[in-house]
Amino acid sequence: MSRIEILGLTQQFKGHRAVDEVDLVIEDGDFVVLLGPSGCGKTTLLRMIAGLLEPTAGRIVIDGQDVTDLPSKKRNLAMVFQSYALYPHLSVAKNLAFPLAVLRMPKEERDTRVRDVAATLGLDKLLQRKPRELSGGQRQRVAVGRALVRQPSAYLMDEPLSNLDAKLRTATRQELSELHARLAATFVYVTHDQVEAMTMATKIVVLDAGRIEQAGTPEEIYHRPASVFVAGFVGAPPMNLVPAVAGSAAGVVTASASGMDARLWQGEVDERDVVIGVRPEHLRVADSATGALRVHGVVERIENLGSEQVLYLRAGDALLTARGDGLGGYRRGDAIVLGAALERIHLFDPETGRRLEWVSDSDELPAIEASVPIPA
Ligand SMILES: Nc1ncnc2c1ncn2[C@@H]1O[C@H](COP(=O)(O)OP(=O)(O)O)[C@@H](O)[C@H]1O
Ligand SMILES: [Mg+2]
């Protein structure tokens, strides 16, 4: 059981700030996924939490205790790495017992813990095997088991699935989710894979260049991305992001770009630059006058994925993607109209990259304003 508070945590390498004043609260029992592109500081942040790397500045508080100056082994956290780092000459049972032997736990207690963990992870029948006699997925389970035997208060995992093939990754994602539910423990999990984040996290923390871009539930991250960066990073194919001009006409706020028009909300705004965002799966072939957004364009390419198709539409300077079933009948060169509903349209500030929110507050002159960030 662990609640982890991170306050102004910073890691300054020579001339390079890998983690930049990160504030974050990880609640007891959370499955927090630190998500971001390679080099954004995920591993560095995790290593500081684990006590493997001394922060340049900031504090780490676990269950009310400031552990910033405590060595790793006194933090009662377990870390699972990308490489399994099992001892090749030891059996599964001995690999599992190893962390307990280091703690000088009596043999009987050790054996009980190893048996329990082996049962939990379905390793009972493999206890006498050597790592080389296991599949990749089984080895990964032993690595997780080695964290489990210590009964730590939180689990820190750094891209533990990246060495597995696609099919095994899917199965192991499910196993980890179930394990989290069963242990009701705190998980902090690092990945660059948005599918892992979306499927397992109770809370996703999106990092870019050492800073938190957004922290929220998978639903918040997907449906209310706080910035162009988050909008473009989460979702595949990524959200369409098109520079446009917002203004108002006859009491309705509009946004337009070449080939693209959106009628958004009632109100007046001063003309300003915006970025319109719409996810490929929310662009539909417009069959009537409904839909707040309309895009007139020419089909450039169709990719057939079997269950659905991805359609590339040239509209003015923009190349948009639409995704769905039933786009397969179109051909290169077809002129079509795509539409999206009002609630599917996102607006961003091109200067700051931050999300713009419509504020229809009272008798104040309506304006598009930067939204309040989603609380961490
Ligand atoms: N020991 C180190 N010394 C100097 N720079 C480092 C060190 N470790 C990591 N970095 C740099 O810090 C940045 C963040 O690295 P890392 O935390 O490993 O990113 P991620 O895990 O998100 O891929 C990268 O630019 C990396 O090159
Ligand atoms: Mg890393």
Side-chain angles (χ1 to χ4, degrees):
M1 297 287 108
S2 262
R3 179 178 193 269
I4 304 172
E5 263 175 284
I6 293 164
L7 305 158
L9 207 61
T10 298
Q11 184 62 240
Q12 178 81 41
F13 292 122
K14 276 195 203 85
H16 175 73
R17 196 164 264 219
V19 174
D20 194 1
E21 294 189 22
V22 164
D23 293 308
L24 178 66
V25 176
I26 297 164
E27 296 294 347
D28 184 30
D30 260 354
F31 195 138
V32 167
V33 173
L34 306 178
L35 174 69
S38 174
C40 72
K42 306 179 295 292
T43 294
T44 303
L45 179 54
L46 199 70
R47 286 171 56 82
M48 287 193 284
I49 298 172
L52 300 172
L53 182 65
E54 195 187 328
T56 312
R59 313 303 301 172
I60 301 160
V61 177
I62 301 181
D63 292 330
Q65 188 198 3
D66 189 327
V67 302
T68 317
D69 301 317
L70 275 190
S72 181
K73 61 174 185 285
K74 296 222 166 128
R75 296 190 188 188
N76 197 26
L77 306 170
M79 187 126 173
V80 182
F81 295 97
Q82 176 178 340
S83 54
Y84 318 121
L86 301 179
Y87 298 103
H89 57 289
L90 297 183
S91 65
V92 168
K94 291 222 164 90
N95 264 287
L96 288 175
F98 191 82
L100 305 178
V102 171
L103 295 174
R104 297 178 194 285
M105 183 179 284
K107 184 170 182 332
E108 222 157 89
E109 199 181 339
R110 227 155 61 194
D111 289 347
T112 311
R113 288 241 196 137
V114 167
R115 259 200 313 276
D116 286 352
V117 164
T120 302
L121 296 174
L123 293 168
D124 344 34
K125 300 214 161 57
L126 308 173
L127 283 171
Q128 296 322 312
R129 295 220 195 146
K130 295 280 170 58
R132 66 167 181 278
E133 298 163 326
L134 302 175
S135 70
Q138 290 167 336
R139 270 181 238 163
Q140 200 270 351
R141 254 186 277 164
V142 177
V144 170
R146 221 166 38 173
L148 243 58
V149 286
R150 285 179 42 205
Q151 303 179 342
S153 53
Y155 296 83
L156 312 180
M157 307 193 189
D158 194 349
E159 314 235 10
L161 307 189
S162 54
N163 287 339
L164 305 181
D165 64 47
K167 198 171 162 197
L168 201 51
R169 266 207 305 271
T170 308
T172 314
R173 275 203 316 257
Q174 217 166 328
E175 282 179 16
L176 280 176
S177 288
E178 282 164 18
L179 187 65
H180 173 253
R182 218 168 331 134
L183 297 173
T186 309
F187 280 35
V188 187
Y189 184 104
V190 160
T191 185
H192 65 275
D193 182 325
Q194 47 152 328
V195 176
E196 287 179 22
M198 289 298 292
T199 51
M200 293 189 295
T202 56
K203 179 169 165 177
I204 297 177
V205 178
V206 182
L207 291 167
D208 181 35
R211 287 171 179 262
I212 294 183
E213 280 281 317
Q214 184 175 8
T217 63
E219 290 71 26
E220 283 165 344
I221 298 284
Y222 183 81
H223 289 294
R224 278 174 50 96
S227 67
V228 166
F229 179 84
V230 176
F233 192 76
V234 177
M239 184 185 284
N240 296 293
L241 295 162
V242 182
V245 175
S248 39
V252 173
V253 177
T254 61
S256 44
S258 84
M260 191 186 277
D261 267 299
R263 287 169 56 81
L264 300 172
W265 309 278
Q266 292 199 326
E268 305 277 339
V269 290
D270 290 338
E271 202 169 285
R272 59 161 297 162
D273 290 340
V274 295
V275 173
I276 297 181
V278 60
R279 294 201 179 277
E281 56 272 41
H282 296 149
L283 274 177
R284 299 258 167 268
V285 176
D287 48 1
S288 68
T290 58
L293 176 74
R294 298 178 75 76
V295 186
H296 295 259
V298 176
V299 175
E300 264 202 18
R301 194 153 58 93
I302 307 258
E303 277 171 7
N304 195 344
L305 306 178
S307 63
E308 57 180 15
Q309 299 85 41
V310 177
L311 181 150
Y312 295 80
L313 187 77
R314 173 67 60 187
D317 299 331
L319 184 64
L320 286 91
T321 54
R323 195 186 95 185
D325 194 11
L327 297 170
Y330 297 99
R331 291 290 167 265
R332 184 185 167 82
D334 286 351
I336 62 169
V337 181
L338 297 178
L342 180 60
E343 63 273 18
R344 300 306 194 185
I345 298 167
H346 309 261
L347 289 187
F348 301 95
D349 184 331
E351 296 280 312
T352 63
R354 303 305 290 176
R355 183 185 187 83
L356 294 165
E357 210 65 74
W358 178 244
V359 187
S360 60
D361 237 352
S362 64
D363 40 27
E364 290 285 308
L365 232 191
I368 304 173
E369 286 187 355
S371 64
V372 181
I374 294 168

